[in-house]
Amino acid sequence: MSHLPNKAKLIHSISRDSLPRAFKAGALHCGIKKNGAFDLGILQSSSAGCVSAASFTQNIFKAAPVVWSSEVQHRSSGGASALIVNSGCANAVTGKQGMIDAQAMTTAVNDQLGRDNSTLVMSTGVIGQLLPIKRITGSIAPLFHATREDEHSWMDLARSFMTTDTFPKLRASLLRLPSGRSVRVAGIDKGAGMIHPHMGPPSTISRLPHGTLLGVIATDAPVSSTDLQQTLDHVVDRSFNSISVDGDMSTNDTVLAFANGAEGGEKLSGDDLISFQTQLTDFAIDLAQLVVRDGEGATKFVAVNVDNAPSYSLARQVARSVATSSLVKTALYGQDANWGRILCAVGYAPLSGIPSQSSDPPIDPSKVTVKFRPTDGSPDVRLLTNGEPETVDEARAAEVLKMEDLDIHIDLCIGEETARYWTCDLSHECEYVTINGDYRS
Amino acid sequence: MSHLPNKAKLIHSISRDSLPRAFKAGALHCGIKKNGAFDLGILQSSSAGCVSAASFTQNIFKAAPVVWSSEVQHRSSGGASALIVNSGCANAVTGKQGMIDAQAMTTAVNDQLGRDNSTLVMSTGVIGQLLPIKRITGSIAPLFHATREDEHSWMDLARSFMTTDTFPKLRASLLRLPSGRSVRVAGIDKGAGMIHPHMGPPSTISRLPHGTLLGVIATDAPVSSTDLQQTLDHVVDRSFNSISVDGDMSTNDTVLAFANGAEGGEKLSGDDLISFQTQLTDFAIDLAQLVVRDGEGATKFVAVNVDNAPSYSLARQVARSVATSSLVKTALYGQDANWGRILCAVGYAPLSGIPSQSSDPPIDPSKVTVKFRPTDGSPDVRLLTNGEPETVDEARAAEVLKMEDLDIHIDLCIGEETARYWTCDLSHECEYVTINGDYRS
């Protein structure tokens, strides 16, 4: 079974100039992971006046670090300036002790910083197991010593996020704003939803790693805490919340943002703020796509584009319905131009649980056009035009479906809004089945 | 890859005494299927005063037979007395000609019956192709000649529903009511969602069969048209709408009910009507489960039971979320007692799009208990008790997970309502991947 090739090329070297100023990063191995890899990381603003924003899983079963970080965000009124993260153990389904441990992690960092309520926490890894909390708290002081403001420390931090990830996911960028100002942003993420049975020996078969998406974005832009939260909500909807690997929502999913204003000057507003949000969205889309490209066993990277919808929410509803349809994803793996499955998923989108606006006109089947757009710039392959099936050139369709990247375009023709969703084909679950089946027999 | 064994034992011989009186059934091959199998069937009441009820797909893209049957139900005020069904071609995504063809099928039957608006229509098979309508309408007269009131004609009718099904799905039963009266019910269904790439030669790769659930229930009970519709709505929610093979909703899904009152006497009411509804629900659950057991490549039949919920709708929401989780279904195929994935699916149930009652209290993670209940009567395997993970006896869990039938019990401990959902493990999609991959290379 082939995989998305060349994952190594997805590791970008980061220019020091594009890193946000006055953020220190670092990581070390404290003993959670068995293989000696980095499993504890820290990010802290060395500039005063840092603000924070957060987006947490909507799952009812929230892991302790999610519950506790949410509390810290509340207590600090969005003024946290540090992040402590561990991998190897998710501190999920761990009851009262889990809450004590999450709090202990942040307290140990706060003690170093000399400030209360300054630290957010994220954990990822196996669930149902307690953290080795003494190893963690005992490593906070050495971890502080290891922090630096260079690209190597950021890469170390990215490595400390990894569980089943096959490469560290770090990006940094200089954002030029309309007024002529420039700000810097760096981001790390990990996950999600990969199934990787190699990780657990048989005796820990019910302690398999739990697919989780974690992300952090740090910028030296001066932004108010309210604007940062509104920006993050907009960004997350269009990036991390618009990818799907397996359709399940973890107990630990968290995306955090820090803005320390080290660039200086007035808080962003007006066109600068709008441009910041737009550029940050593109930046986060790039980060989020890395997660899809790292899907275990995935052979295709699929972009679902829904155009000309009456609202963004309806466009997103349709894009998500198609991107999470098992039948669509299996057909894509099978390199089958099965427009029927795409159409079917468009048709049940309003029942899929993603809210749209009640004022939206209903989707009109006789206006829907579906096509594949080859990523090499060659002409589209039309599958359905105004609700009528096209006679598909099978040879041409097969050619397009062989490509690693595939763009599906769905035109609803009842408005002007657009949404995009990114997913992979369904082979990864089959890979799991095959590996796990062999593994246990 | 193993399959659910002994499907032959799922074909039950039907006793003539349990068949509803005054229903004639029949089928023939009219030339839609390439292999000469039955592809056109009819069911008609030979008793006057027959009423009808219908439950149609909620997909926006409704196939022509769905749109037209809905119109017939409306025009006849639930007084249709016949069904014409074809397999091999779904008459879906066929535009105006599809509507003309669906109407032509019912008109041909109405002409034989000598009554307008008396016939409902169902189609299943490939989509995007027009029906060979002349072959169909030209076969209606011979089809009428072939109808009989015996168990063989019912079995013929069941065969005419089949597409990727590996066996005909027919049940009949005598229902004893509290007042001492007895009525008879027979039911047929087909589907659903199976992926069966053997069906299409390469040139018709985008004309793969479209997984559809079709069902019909006929009874000689005297029931008013309104009561029959209310009964069917209750029954379908708890049976056909509580199964999942692949989670997608077809453009053709239809379940119809006919009640011709041939048993005689007063219309059912009071306790008799309640008992009729309860027994019909169990009858339909049996029929619906046959569809799950016929899932291509499925190795496990999984019942998800949610107990002690504050409302049926919340219980159903949770059951459906677990039953449709790809990660849960893959773990079950892998014989992995992964309570984390089950818990995770419970946790995002409120976001899954199935409405629950707003007055419901929220699910309390610290009260949730999850266990496997072996179908051989041996003790439960507890995975999670009041939100805390159990130390699972892996050898014992492995033993239970090897069984073909698996019961997952989820106790929410915040009410008294119960819901059940039935599904299979996820291997069938992988089988599709394997077969289709080989097939095209």
Side-chain angles (χ1 to χ4, degrees), chain A residues 59-61 195 205 208 248-249 325-327 330 333 335-336 344 347-348 350 353 394 426 429-430 432-433 440, chain B residues 59-60 195 205 208 248-249 325-327 330 333 335-336 344 347-348 350 353 394 426 429-430 432-433 440:
Chain A
N59 196 305
I60 287 171
F61 295 89
I195 300 157
I205 201 69
L208 285 178
D248 280 25
M249 183 188 293
S325 160
S326 296
L327 291 186
T330 321
Y333 176 76
Q335 302 189 2
D336 169 15
C344 198
Y348 64 72
E394 296 293 343
L426 195 66
E429 285 165 355
C430 304
Y432 168 83
V433 165
R440 306 210 58 169
Chain B
N59 197 304
I60 287 171
I195 300 158
I205 201 69
L208 284 177
D248 280 24
M249 183 189 294
S325 160
S326 295
L327 291 184
T330 321
Y333 176 75
Q335 305 190 1
D336 168 14
C344 198
Y348 63 71
E394 295 292 342
L426 197 65
E429 286 165 356
C430 305
Y432 168 83
V433 165
R440 305 209 60 169

Side-chain angles (χ1 to χ4, degrees), chain A residues 186-413:
Chain A
I188 290 171
D189 65 357
K190 66 87 41 183
M194 270 80 68
I195 300 157
H196 204 90
H198 298 297
M199 297 286 288
S203 64
T204 60
I205 201 69
S206 59
R207 301 287 186 277
L208 285 178
H210 196 53
T212 285
L213 187 136
L214 296 185
V216 63
I217 291 169
T219 178
D220 55 16
V223 189
S224 77
S225 144
T226 309
D227 285 344
L228 186 65
Q229 186 65 53
Q230 283 178 1
T231 298
L232 185 65
D233 291 342
H234 180 97
V235 164
V236 167
D237 257 2
R238 286 155 181 80
S239 56
F240 300 106
N241 279 352
S242 290
I243 60 169
S244 172
V245 176
D246 53 42
D248 280 25
M249 183 188 293
S250 138
T251 52
N252 290 55
D253 293 345
T254 303
V255 178
L256 302 176
F258 295 95
N260 68 2
E263 165 60 22
E266 298 274 308
K267 295 252 187 277
L268 298 190
S269 62
D271 286 349
D272 274 3
L273 185 59
I274 292 170
S275 175
F276 175 70
Q277 178 174 283
T278 305
Q279 293 186 64
L280 203 64
T281 301
D282 288 340
F283 179 81
I285 287 171
D286 189 26
L287 271 178
Q289 290 184 350
L290 294 179
V291 170
V292 178
R293 290 193 185 274
D294 204 12
E296 176 70 23
T299 70
K300 284 195 186 309
F301 177 83
V302 183
V304 179
N305 304 269
V306 175
D307 295 319
N308 298 320
S311 67
Y312 170 69
S313 54
L314 181 69
R316 186 160 187 278
Q317 189 187 65
V318 171
R320 183 182 190 275
S321 184
V322 173
T324 58
S325 160
S326 296
L327 291 186
V328 169
K329 293 170 72 164
T330 321
L332 294 176
Y333 176 76
Q335 302 189 2
D336 169 15
N338 196 316
W339 53 264
R341 291 183 183 176
I342 297 171
L343 194 71
C344 198
V346 172
Y348 64 72
L351 305 159
S352 65
I354 307 300
S356 74
Q357 289 168 17
S358 53
S359 59
D360 284 343
I363 297 169
D364 180 348
S366 72
K367 290 185 174 174
V368 175
T369 292
V370 178
K371 54 197 172 190
F372 291 147
R373 175 159 299 163
T375 46
D376 64 358
S378 60
D380 292 345
V381 178
R382 285 181 165 262
L383 303 177
L384 196 78
T385 302
N386 299 328
E388 300 278 342
E390 295 272 357
T391 305
V392 179
D393 176 344
E394 296 293 343
R396 171 72 184 134
E399 207 174 85
V400 171
L401 281 159
K402 267 186 197 140
M403 298 177 188
E404 181 182 316
D405 281 27
L406 190 64
D407 271 22
I408 301 173
H409 281 258
I410 298 161
D411 190 337
L412 300 182
C413 270

Side-chain angles (χ1 to χ4, degrees), chain B residues 4 12 48 69 99 149 158 184 226 233-234 315-316 347:
Chain B
L4 284 173
H12 289 187
S69 288
M99 284 300 297
E149 289 191 19
R184 279 147 294 272
T226 309
D233 290 343
H234 179 97
R316 186 159 186 279

Side-chain angles (χ1 to χ4, degrees), chain A residues 68-267:
Chain A
W68 181 242
S69 288
S70 178
E71 177 66 20
V72 171
Q73 266 295 100
H74 177 70
R75 290 190 189 180
S76 69
S77 303
S81 61
L83 162 69
I84 181 80
V85 56
N86 78 272
S87 52
C89 175
N91 193 9
V93 200
T94 43
K96 287 175 189 166
Q97 188 59 46
M99 283 301 297
I100 292 168
D101 293 347
Q103 190 165 357
M105 286 175 71
T106 62
T107 301
V109 177
N110 289 340
D111 289 350
Q112 294 284 333
L113 297 170
R115 289 190 304 274
D116 285 346
N117 299 320
S118 293
T119 309
L120 301 170
V121 57
M122 302 199 291
S123 299
T124 179
V126 300
I127 72 173
Q129 281 186 339
L130 292 175
L131 288 167
I133 189 64
K134 286 189 178 167
R135 286 189 190 175
I136 292 174
T137 53
S139 302
I140 298 295
L143 185 56
F144 260 79
H145 286 292
T147 57
R148 295 185 313 277
E149 290 191 17
D150 62 25
E151 64 277 22
H152 307 295
S153 63
W154 275 91
M155 188 57 86
D156 288 352
L157 179 59
R159 290 188 191 280
S160 76
F161 277 63
M162 294 169 65
T163 55
T164 55
D165 303 68
T166 65
F167 62 91
K169 300 174 178 67
L170 168 66
R171 290 288 183 272
S173 185
L174 184 73
L175 312 184
R176 295 177 200 282
L177 304 179
S179 68
R181 299 168 71 179
S182 291
V183 298
R184 281 147 292 273
V185 57
I188 290 171
D189 65 357
K190 66 87 41 183
M194 270 80 68
I195 300 157
H196 204 90
H198 298 297
M199 297 286 288
S203 64
T204 60
I205 201 69
S206 59
R207 301 287 186 277
L208 285 178
H210 196 53
T212 285
L213 187 136
L214 296 185
V216 63
I217 291 169
T219 178
D220 55 16
V223 189
S224 77
S225 144
T226 309
D227 285 344
L228 186 65
Q229 186 65 53
Q230 283 178 1
T231 298
L232 185 65
D233 291 342
H234 180 97
V235 164
V236 167
D237 257 2
R238 286 155 181 80
S239 56
F240 300 106
N241 279 352
S242 290
I243 60 169
S244 172
V245 176
D246 53 42
D248 280 25
M249 183 188 293
S250 138
T251 52
N252 290 55
D253 293 345
T254 303
V255 178
L256 302 176
F258 295 95
N260 68 2
E263 165 60 22
E266 298 274 308
K267 295 252 187 277

Side-chain angles (χ1 to χ4, degrees), chain B residues 40 55 63 121-122 130 137 145 148 217 230 280-281 303 328 342:
Chain B
L40 189 67
S55 180
V121 58
M122 304 199 290
L130 292 174
T137 53
H145 284 294
R148 295 185 312 276
I217 292 170
Q230 284 180 1
L280 202 64
T281 301
V328 169
I342 296 171

